[in-house]
């Protein structure tokens, strides 16, 4: 059972097109291209808000850098907070579209979809 969500940085129509073409199109132009519109800022803000917490950033980094591109919650919970707090932060990262998860038996495995990292990179790149 997979709880895959579309990254809010991607337009729904862009997801369909990019899945077919194998490319990623971020919701917004690179930050250096022009100022965001109000709508673009509304779509990008949840990602930045989720990553604005040091524990969430550490968890996101732990998942993204874990061998095989996914990590069991048991492998990434040592971030200096209690297990319920880890679960809360992982939930926030999932809600922001930054992580997906899959339950396997009693453990939950998290992964950062490659399209998420690619969209973030395109958003933060220079023209």
């Amino acid at each position: 059972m997979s709880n895959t969500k579309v990254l809010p940085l991607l337009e729904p129509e862009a997801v369909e097109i990019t899945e077919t073409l194998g490319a990623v199109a971020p919701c917004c132009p690179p930050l250096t291209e022009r100022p965001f519109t109000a709508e673009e800022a509304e779509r990008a803000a949840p990602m930045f808000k989720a990553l604005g917490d040091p524990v969430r950033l550490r968890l996101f980094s732990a998942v993204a850098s874990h061998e095989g591109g996914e990590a069991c919650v048991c492998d990434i919970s040592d971030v200096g907070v209690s297990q319920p707090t880890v679960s809360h932060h992982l939930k926030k990262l999932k809600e922001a579209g930054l992580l997906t998860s899959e339950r396997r038996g009693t453990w939950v495995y998290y992964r950062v979809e490659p399209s998420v990292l690619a969209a973030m990179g395109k958003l933060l790149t220079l023209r």
Side-chain angles (χ1 to χ4, degrees):
M1 171 165 69
S2 178
N3 297 326
T4 303
K5 290 174 64 175
V6 174
L7 174 69
L9 289 178
L10 300 176
E11 297 285 352
E13 59 275 3
V15 172
E16 294 172 17
I17 293 168
T18 57
E19 285 177 350
T20 305
L21 300 175
V24 176
C27 74
C28 315
L31 290 170
T32 57
E33 187 174 302
R34 63 170 173 74
F36 279 179
T37 65
E39 183 180 295
E40 290 168 339
E42 286 291 326
R43 286 192 307 246
M47 174 196 66
F48 288 108
K49 184 176 180 180
L51 292 175
D53 182 281
V55 172
R56 289 184 202 144
L57 187 55
R58 287 186 66 200
L59 288 168
F60 184 75
S61 174
V63 172
S65 65
H66 201 269
E67 184 179 334
E70 69 177 10
C72 174
V73 70
C74 61
D75 295 328
I76 58 171
S77 59
D78 186 23
V79 290
V81 296
S82 67
Q83 176 54 45
T85 303
V86 168
S87 295
H88 166 77
H89 287 303
L90 289 169
K91 178 182 175 187
K92 292 296 184 183
L93 289 167
K94 281 181 61 178
E95 288 172 351
L98 296 171
L99 294 180
T100 60
S101 66
E102 180 180 359
R103 180 171 291 281
R104 297 180 197 158
T106 59
W107 296 110
V108 178
Y109 288 79
Y110 291 88
R111 81 185 59 71
V112 177
E113 295 298 325
S115 62
V116 171
L117 294 176
M120 289 170 63
K122 287 184 182 230
L123 180 65
L124 297 173
T125 192
L126 296 174
R127 284 190 250 183

